[in-house]
Amino acid sequence: MSVAVIFGSSMGNTEGAANMIAEKLGISDVLNIADIDADKINSYDKLICGTSTWGSGDLQDDWDGFDFSKLNLSGKTVAVFGMGDSESYSDTYCSGMGKLAQGLKSAGANLVGAVSTGGYTFEASDAVEGDKFVGLALDNDNHEDLTENRINTWIEQIKPSFS
């Protein structure tokens, strides 16, 4: 079984989270979306994908320019995580993660790893379905002290799907 962590990062926070997640799960393939194509992504059995949110809820630039229509993730297990700023951009907190999840689902991905919105403070997000984020929401701008614990908790949740 081949597993990769794929990230899009402009300031380094999402890349840092991707590396931490990969290390904790023992995944050696950590790839920047800017350096790969759909064929590379399609070659993996399972994926963990992350993005930061930019502007008014947009995907990180490299993900934003990616052609999701070339992905074939039918039946593949995929988890998502996202970086956002819950204070300055409370009305679009981690919305990029919601857009990423939608693009992956439209390619056939079976998403796992939804996280309760409890314990988060924000106004709105495209990454929320019901009372859960579609994946792990992180905020290194205001709550960096919570990042590692949130990752650890999420890892325990998704580990059965990635072992």
Side-chain angles (χ1 to χ4, degrees), residues 9 12-14 17 26-27 29 32-33 44 46 59 61 69 82 87 92 98 103 111 119 127 135 139 153 159:
S9 186
N13 288 330
T14 309
I27 298 170
D29 290 5
N32 188 331
I33 190 62
Y44 287 95
K46 297 182 179 196
L59 274 169
D61 289 345
S69 71
E87 292 181 17
T92 59
L111 284 184
D139 179 354
T153 300
K159 192 184 286 184

Side-chain angles (χ1 to χ4, degrees), residues 4 9 26 34-35 46 95 104 111 118 134 137 139-140 146 155 157 160:
S9 186
D35 301 329
K46 297 182 179 196
S95 285
L104 297 168
L111 284 184
V134 294
D139 179 354
N140 274 18
L146 300 175
I155 293 287
Q157 178 188 339

